[in-house]
């Protein structure tokens, strides 16, 4: 049967359902590979060997007694360490939560369990999802399987690296400003941010509540769609969850046909600051879509120029409030409780010791933006920009079915390159942020390697809220065409570890 | 308008972050640079533009007044840095409730 | 510390302005944003879940019943209901606040611009309601290691989050000027009225002693004739109706003392001390806390439809004011009689006594008289005494039937209050019954006439008013169990005199 870790999730699911491979076998193959290569990648913060094998065995037993298995039953997955899983350490990449084992499952985890998905462990991330490189993890950086000296993207860098390193066929990430799409792009895999409200946030440790959304990583568009479908849907525990049918993403991925679609290229998401190889591969992919029967037009979204500024006010503001609860009282780290120190001192010392520099920076920034006297100029104005960006999207989607752009302006940069320059780091999210602000859905699909550095380039597809199926239709069409051209998925050409 | 060290110290106090002098100074500089970059939101945020606080067009999402299962006290206290008599033990409270 | 100025003297020089903030815990089955129960007195941390414990990843979902309750209260307080509003986060760190922010409402409360009319000494005061909003309660801390269980001097605290997340309605009045010397009474009347409305609506058990109704009283004073109001203090922990009155009274005297001594009133939080009836200084509010309010992103806006609001309005019960007006008419009482009844807290009791068959007049007489006197002596509400409206109705029935006179009836009530059983049981066990047997009475009358021949002669001679002495003698003989009017008639008859 060959190496089980090289197969797609769809194929693994089929093998397990038919009994040609057992879930335990599949799980063990991935655990073995983690043992072999994760030391050099550091995608995982915690590997739940026992729990994974138990879950896999349960799938095998279910099959034996003839219970119907879903398409992902027995398929292994890496879970970003920002989602709670009962009894399993959840750190959010932060020292402040070291050792915390949540007493409850997130809705995403509950749905994964129901689908029979085997959770291998918790994936590394930038602390509290703040970052674009996973260098902000308190537990050390994750490395890009294409080049171990480079970043795997972030904040879901552990998730993207696990999938790209073949230590998991699937992973869950979260995307607040691009944290699924940018790591997918720089690791040469598929990543999708569902429509805000499409996937429950219950149990997702909040960074920026109005922007956060969990979504799938996979090596193929169909695999991503299968995972998307497994975790999406209305959840009464999340007030912002949309009570509507999940868009038909799997059918769309199988359809893989862009004939008759109108595709808009966003004029503002190109030019200065974009690596030339990124622009080259992007232009070729757009050309390919055109050749596949899509009508391609240029579209202008003038307010996208203000998206990053708005994002770096809204996200830190919400974060400053969301992260207040890490106060040493009910869970997590406590520093300085010597019996005489007052509660305020213990809180302040704990937070100073437990949070890393980027988290502190954003908490201070958010605290400032929400302060009396500054609120209107900063937070209030940012919320208005949000309206303008939504209007730009509305106008664009009146003309086209989807919008496209590069996912990130550059390929994976070397570890350490931007750690001292927060603003340079923030530019990584230039193209991805508008969809978060508007609550739309978007996806990154690999479209080739940049000629100058041989690293993966991603193309971003953006669609209106609850039109997630369009992402999968376009993404799958592109993937199929590129695969026909090269004979394999881009990630299959990554250097062996 | 540059952000001063004292302003950062005030923000740090509000945010319960015990920053040292070096951090305060570094943070002041970085905050200045970031605010310089993000302040441009005001260029387009005119009075006639309504703000958006939520990315979903939902209202009135309510639950029925029905009791659901709780955590056990053991689960509730499982992560507590310190507990005593079924309660969370916390350091002495010097300031009064706001 | 500056000396207090006697209240009357303070009022000669200064004019008070009051304002009240009342927090009411709603009596929903589950908490505001999660499904945990709200029962009072449970073992610590047994009514918590990820949401009300503020665990990472948890999310709030608003309780529909709580929203309906506050809209109903807003309607009862003559407020406008916002067609669209949001919850907001109020950010501050405190150990009893699980998320270190409180979900509350800021510049978009659900109910705004209402009023409540209260009557004090026959005059109506209209209290403007600025806003009524919904928020979540905090946990409760036990302070350990100090001498008194107070926060100061404690070595550490123990937190129970059972109360955290219970829906809390905050009702904020506008500043109320023009109450003069009656400021304390108006404050008390307002809180009483608000409490009765909440009770009538069935939205809260409004037990001040359990903290389900909590009041902060804002007081400022300014020299009479001044065009600007003074600086206000905000007194917390005013946890009984009587305390509302005492706290306002004390603050007026205290602030007058400060101003008379040439000082200035500090804007601050003060704490009411139940034992001494005084207030002590808390935190200064001169440097305003920066709560960094912003719209709660985890909760979508609230947009109650006009239909929903009208449906709730149509289903409102009869409110206390309307009920009082109706009862006053039914019972044919003067305004002052009615106010006395209300002040004695005897309205429900009288209504139930009337419902049990007594006349309004008799019911009012007993509840306001004998029973109110006892309640006053014991420092409790009449409803807390061990006598029921049915008991009082039974006493009234016995009087109406001529089996008891007023004096005996008082003894029966005394017996019921002493736990001796129902009125009938007290009558039997104490042997209390009017002697109406004219044969037995006749013997007593004859004896009295014989023993007081001089007086009898005067009566026969036309000095009818002297009959009182003979009546007294007969009553004494029968140990009060005769009906005085009957005795008098019998004496006059025997003496052959007509009145
Ligand atoms: Mg409040
Ligand atoms: Zn709860």
């Amino acid at each position: 049967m060959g190496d089980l870790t090289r197969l797609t999730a769809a194929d693994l699911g089929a093998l397990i359902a038919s009994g040609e491979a057992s879930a335990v076998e599949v799980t063990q193959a991935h655990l073995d590979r983690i043992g072999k290569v994760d030391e050099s990648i550091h995608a995982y913060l915690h590997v739940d060997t026992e729990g994974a094998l138990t879950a896999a065995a349960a799938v095998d037993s279910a099959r034996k007694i003839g219970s119907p298995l879903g398409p992902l039953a027995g398929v292994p997955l890496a879970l970003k360490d920002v989602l709670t899983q009962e009894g399993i350490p959840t750190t959010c990449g932060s020292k402040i939560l070291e050792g915390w084992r949540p007493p409850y499952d997130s809705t995403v985890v509950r749905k994964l369990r129901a689908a029979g998905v085997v959770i291998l462990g918790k994936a590394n991330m930038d602390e509290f999802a703040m970052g674009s490189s996973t260098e902000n993890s308190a537990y050390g950086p994750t490395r890009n399987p294409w080049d171990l000296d480079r970043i795997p993207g972030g904040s879901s860098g552990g998730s993207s690296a696990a999938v790209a390193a073949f230590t998991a066929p699937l992973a869950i990430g979260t995307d607040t400003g691009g944290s699924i799409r940018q790591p997918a792009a720089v690791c040469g895999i598929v990543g999708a941010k569902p429509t805000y409200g499409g996937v429950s946030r219950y149990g997702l440790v909040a960074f920026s509540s109005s922007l956060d959304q969990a979504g799938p990583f996979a090596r193929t568009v169909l695999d991503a769609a299968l995972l998307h479908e497994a975790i999406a849907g209305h959840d009464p525990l999340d007030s912002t969850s949309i009570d509507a049918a999940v868009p038909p993403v799997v059918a769309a991925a199988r359809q893989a046909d862009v004939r008759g679609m109108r595709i808009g290229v966003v004029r503002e998401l190109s030019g200065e600051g974009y690596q030339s190889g990124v622009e080259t591969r992007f232009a070729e992919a757009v050309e390919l879509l055109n050749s596949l029967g899509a009508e391609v037009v240029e579209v202008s979204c003038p307010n996208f120029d203000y998206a990053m500024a708005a994002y770096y006010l809204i996200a830190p503001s919400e974060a400053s409030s969301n992260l207040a609860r890490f106060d040493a009282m009910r869970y997590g780290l406590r520093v300085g409780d010597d019996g005489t120190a007052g509660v305020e001192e213990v809180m302040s010392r704990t937070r100073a010791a437990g949070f890393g520099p980027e988290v502190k920076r954003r908490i201070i920034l958010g605290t400032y933006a929400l302060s009396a006297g500054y609120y209107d100029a900063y937070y209030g104005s940012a919320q208005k920009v949000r309206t303008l960006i939504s209007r730009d999207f509305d106008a664009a989607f009146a003309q086209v079915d989807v919008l496209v752009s590069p996912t990130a302006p550059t390929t994976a940069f070397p570890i350490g390159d931007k750690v001292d320059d927060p603003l340079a780091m923030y530019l990584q999210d230039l193209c991805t942020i508008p969809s978060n602000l508007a609550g739309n859905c978007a996806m990154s699909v690999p479209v080739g390697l940049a000629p100058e550095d041989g690293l993966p380039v991603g193309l971003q597809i953006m669609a209106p809220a609850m039109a997630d199926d369009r992402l999968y239709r376009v993404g799958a069409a592109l993937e199929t065409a590129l695969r026909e051209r090269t004979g394999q998925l881009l990630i299959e050409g990554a250097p062996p570890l | 308008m540059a952000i001063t060290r004292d302003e950062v110290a005030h923000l740090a106090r509000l945010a319960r972050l015990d920053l040292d002098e070096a951090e305060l100074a570094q943070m002041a500089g970085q905050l200045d640079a970031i605010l310089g970059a993000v302040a441009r939101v005001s260029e387009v945020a005119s009075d006639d533009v309504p703000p958006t606080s939520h990315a979903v067009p939902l209202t009135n999402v309510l639950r029925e007044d029905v009791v659901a299962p709780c955590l056990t006290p053991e689960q509730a206290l499982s992560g507590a840095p310190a507990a005593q008599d079924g309660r969370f033990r916390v350091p002495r409270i010097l300031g009064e409730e706001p | 510390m500056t000396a207090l100025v006697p209240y009357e003297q303070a009022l000669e020089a200064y004019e008070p302005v009051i304002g009240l903030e009342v927090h009411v815990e709603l009596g929903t089955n589950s908490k505001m944003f999660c499904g945990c129960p709200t029962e009072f007195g449970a073992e610590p941390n047994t009514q918590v879940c990820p949401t009300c414990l503020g665990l990472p990843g948890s999310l709030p979902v608003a309780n529909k019943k709580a929203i309906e309750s506050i809209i109903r209260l807003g309607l009862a307080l003559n407020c406008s209901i916002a067609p669209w509003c949001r919850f907001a986060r109020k950010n501050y760190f405190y150990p009893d606040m699980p998320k270190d922010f409180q979900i509350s409402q800021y510049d978009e409360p659900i109910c705004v611009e209402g009023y409540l009319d209260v009557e004090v000494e026959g005059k109506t005061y209209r209290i403007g309601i600025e806003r009524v909003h919904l928020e979540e309660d905090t946990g409760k801390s036990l302070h350990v290691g100090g001498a008194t269980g107070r926060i100061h001097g404690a070595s550490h605290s123990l937190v129970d989050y059972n109360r955290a997340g219970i829906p809390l309605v905050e009702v904020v009045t506008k500043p109320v000027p023009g109450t003069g010397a009656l400021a304390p009474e108006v404050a008390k009347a307002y809180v009483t009225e608000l409490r009765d409305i909440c009770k009538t609506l069935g939205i809260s058990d409004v037990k001040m002693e359990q903290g389900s109704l909590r009041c902060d009283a804002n007081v400022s004073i300014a020299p009479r004739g001044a065009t600007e109001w003074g600086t206000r203090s905000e007194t917390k922990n005013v946890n009984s109706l009587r305390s509302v009155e005492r706290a306002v009274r004390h603050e007026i005297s205290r602030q007058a003392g400060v101003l008379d001594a040439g000082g200035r009133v500090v804007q601050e939080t003060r704490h009411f001390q139940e034992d001494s009836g005084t207030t002590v200084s808390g935190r200064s509010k001169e440097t305003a806390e920066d709560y960094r309010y912003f719209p709660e992103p985890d909760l979508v806006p609230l947009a109650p439809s006009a239909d929903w609001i009208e449906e709730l309005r149509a289903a409102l019960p009869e409110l206390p004011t309307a009920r009082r007006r109706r009862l006053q008419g039914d019972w044919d009482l003067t305004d002052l009689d009615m106010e006395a009844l209300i002040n004695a807290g005897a309205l429900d009791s009288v209504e139930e006594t009337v419902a049990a068959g007594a006349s309004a007049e008799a019911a009012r007489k007993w509840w306001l008289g004998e029973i109110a006197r006892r309640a006053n002596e014991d420092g409790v509400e009449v409803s807390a005494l061990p006598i029921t409206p049915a008991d009082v109705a039974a006493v009234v029935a016995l009087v109406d039937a001529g089996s008891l006179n007023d004096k005996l009836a008082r003894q029966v009530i005394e017996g019921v209050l002493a736990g001796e059983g129902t009125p009938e049981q007290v009558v039997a066990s104490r042997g209390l019954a009017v002697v109406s047997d004219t044969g037995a009475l006749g013997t007593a009358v004859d004896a009295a006439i014989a023993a007081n021949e001089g007086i009898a002669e005067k009566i026969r001679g036309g000095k009818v008013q002297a009959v009182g002495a003979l009546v007294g003698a007969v009553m004494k003989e029968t140990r009060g169990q005769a009906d005085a009017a009957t005795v008098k008639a019998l004496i006059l008859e025997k003496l052959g005199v007509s009145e």
Side-chain angles (χ1 to χ4, degrees), chain A residues 196 239 305-306 328-331 334 340 342-344 348-349 351-352 360-361 368 383-384 386-388 391, chain B residues 13 15-16 18 23 30 35 40-41 43-46 49-52 55-56 61 79-81 89-90 92:
Chain A
Y196 182 84
S239 304
D305 287 346
Y306 297 90
M329 299 296 113
R330 291 160 298 280
Y331 40 78
R334 179 180 286 185
T340 60
V343 78
E344 180 179 338
S348 301
R349 289 186 57 188
R351 290 164 61 80
K360 289 180 191 170
R361 195 150 45 229
Y368 180 84
Q383 298 283 41
K384 290 182 172 188
R386 201 168 181 175
T387 306
L388 295 173
R391 287 179 183 170
Chain B
R13 158 93 224 282
R16 299 292 185 270
D18 183 22
E23 283 179 304
Q30 289 175 334
L35 286 171
R40 57 193 307 251
V41 289
E43 290 170 20
V44 286
S46 52
V49 180
T52 297
V56 273
V61 176
R89 182 181 167 136
V90 305
R92 63 207 182 100

Side-chain angles (χ1 to χ4, degrees), chain B residues 10 13-16 51-54 56 58-77 83-98, chain C residues 28-32 34-37 44-48 53 61-65 86 92-94 96 151 154-159 161 271 282-283 291-292 296-297 299-303 308:
Chain B
H10 169 70
R13 158 93 224 282
L14 273 179
R16 299 292 185 270
T52 297
S53 55
H54 296 77
V56 273
L58 300 172
T59 55
N60 299 338
V61 176
L62 305 171
R63 41 173 276 274
E64 294 300 324
D65 181 27
V66 175
V67 170
C70 300
L71 294 172
T72 64
E74 294 71 33
Q75 285 177 313
L77 292 158
Q84 185 182 326
D85 306 333
R87 296 175 169 88
F88 292 83
R89 182 181 167 136
V90 305
R92 63 207 182 100
I93 302 169
L94 297 172
E96 66 181 280
E97 193 163 6
Chain C
T28 48
N29 294 323
S30 64
K31 291 185 180 179
M32 185 62 228
C34 65
C36 290
N45 296 304
T46 55
Q47 297 183 161
V48 293
L53 211 48
V61 185
N63 184 333
K64 186 178 179 190
K65 176 94 178 291
R86 290 174 295 190
Y92 65 92
F93 286 84
Y94 208 76
D96 66 15
I151 192 163
S155 64
H156 61 277
S157 298
L158 301 175
V159 191
Y161 292 102
H271 298 274
R283 189 169 40 89
Y291 292 121
R292 290 157 284 133
E296 167 57 275
L299 292 164
V300 298
L302 210 57
W308 188 21

Side-chain angles (χ1 to χ4, degrees), chain A residues 294-460:
Chain A
E295 187 187 341
V296 177
V297 294
E298 195 184 69
V299 168
S300 175
C301 294
N303 292 295
F304 281 18
D305 287 346
Y306 297 90
M308 206 187 77
Y311 175 84
Y312 278 97
L313 287 166
I314 293 169
S317 295
E318 292 184 4
S320 71
S321 174
N322 282 329
L323 269 57
R325 70 188 66 193
F326 302 102
D327 64 357
M329 299 296 113
R330 291 160 298 280
Y331 40 78
L333 188 70
R334 179 180 286 185
V335 172
D337 184 12
D338 58 5
T340 60
V343 78
E344 180 179 338
E345 188 188 340
V346 171
M347 284 183 180
S348 301
R349 289 186 57 188
T350 300
R351 290 164 61 80
F355 290 139
E358 182 63 22
V359 172
K360 289 180 191 170
R361 195 150 45 229
R362 296 207 196 178
I363 288 174
I364 293 286
L365 176 58
T367 304
Y368 180 84
L370 290 176
S371 291
Y374 298 107
Y375 181 94
D376 288 339
Y378 290 108
Y379 189 77
S381 296
Q383 298 283 41
K384 290 182 172 188
V385 169
R386 201 168 181 175
T387 306
L388 295 173
I389 285 167
S390 290
R391 287 179 183 170
D392 279 0
F393 270 121
D394 289 346
F397 288 132
Q399 303 170 56
V400 298
D401 298 306
V402 296
L403 294 169
V404 292
S405 75
T407 305
T410 70
T411 55
F413 52 85
I415 289 173
D417 226 27
K418 298 183 199 291
V419 280
D420 292 325
D421 189 352
L423 278 172
M425 184 77 86
Y426 296 170
L427 288 174
Q428 281 292 306
D429 301 329
L430 211 53
C431 306
T432 45
I433 281 171
S435 299
N436 296 90
L437 290 173
N440 296 338
C441 55
M443 169 188 278
S444 180
V445 286
V447 291
L449 303 176
E452 63 270 32
D453 54 20
L455 291 168
V457 173
L459 174 138
Q460 177 180 223

Side-chain angles (χ1 to χ4, degrees), chain A residues 28-292:
Chain A
Q28 192 58 57
H30 285 88
L31 290 169
D32 291 347
R33 182 157 172 89
I34 291 170
K36 191 166 148 243
V37 305
D38 198 53
E39 203 179 340
S40 54
I41 302 291
H42 192 41
Y44 288 89
L45 290 176
H46 176 84
V47 178
D48 181 23
T49 305
E50 200 189 314
L53 288 170
T54 304
V59 170
D60 290 333
S61 311
R63 193 193 66 80
K64 283 194 193 108
I65 61 163
S67 304
L69 298 184
L72 295 181
V75 177
L77 170 142
L79 182 68
K80 187 176 182 180
D81 202 22
V82 74
L83 287 143
T84 64
Q85 183 182 353
E86 187 178 345
I88 300 296
T90 299
T91 68
C92 301
S94 182
K95 283 284 175 212
I96 211 159
L97 269 183
E98 190 164 15
W100 183 58
R101 290 172 186 259
Y104 77 108
D105 274 344
S106 53
T107 297
V108 165
V109 164
R110 205 168 41 74
K111 285 182 175 264
L112 290 172
R113 290 191 203 274
V117 172
V118 173
I119 301 171
L120 295 170
K122 304 302 283 290
N124 199 9
M125 57 184 285
D126 282 302
E127 185 176 6
F128 288 107
M130 297 178 189
S132 306
S133 68
T134 315
E135 292 163 291
N136 294 332
S137 168
Y139 303 96
T142 295
R143 293 166 185 279
N144 191 319
W146 290 82
D147 178 344
L148 298 182
D149 292 328
R150 290 180 186 258
I151 59 106
S155 64
S156 312
S159 301
S160 64
V163 173
F166 294 85
T167 54
L170 298 173
I172 296 287
T174 61
D175 189 316
T176 305
S179 285
I180 291 175
R181 291 159 286 163
Q182 181 259 9
V186 301
C187 285
I189 59 169
V190 179
K193 180 198 97 72
T195 298
Y196 182 84
V199 175
S200 171
R201 292 185 297 114
Y202 188 75
L204 190 178
V205 181
F207 159 20
S208 180
S209 309
S210 75
L211 303 167
D212 296 341
Q213 192 64 197
F217 281 103
R219 293 190 291 266
T220 68
V221 174
L222 177 61
D223 281 3
L226 290 168
L227 182 53
H228 187 135
E229 200 162 75
I231 60 171
H234 180 242
D235 180 10
L237 295 176
D238 175 357
S239 304
T240 60
S241 170
I242 295 168
D243 192 0
V246 177
V249 291
V250 173
R254 294 194 201 279
Q255 187 187 359
D257 181 2
V258 293
R259 277 174 300 174
M261 284 186 90
R262 288 174 63 88
I263 294 176
V265 177
V266 183
R267 186 188 302 152
E268 285 75 14
L269 302 180
S270 65
E272 203 194 331
Y274 288 76
Q275 193 179 318
S276 73
V278 168
E279 295 214 294
T280 306
R281 291 292 173 249
F282 172 70
E284 286 170 9
V286 170
E287 209 34 62
L288 182 57
L289 285 168
N290 193 19
S291 73
L292 292 173

Side-chain angles (χ1 to χ4, degrees), chain C residues 445 448-449 452 454-460 462-475 484-495 497-499:
Chain C
V445 168
I449 291 172
N452 299 283
I455 296 171
E457 202 45 53
K458 279 183 187 165
I459 298 168
R460 285 193 197 97
K463 285 196 79 175
V464 177
Q465 62 271 33
V467 76
L470 290 184
V471 172
V474 174
M475 294 304 277
T486 311
V487 172
K488 183 179 170 191
L490 204 55
I491 294 170
L492 293 177
E493 188 193 312
K494 294 225 181 219
L495 295 175
V497 178
S498 63
E499 230 177 315

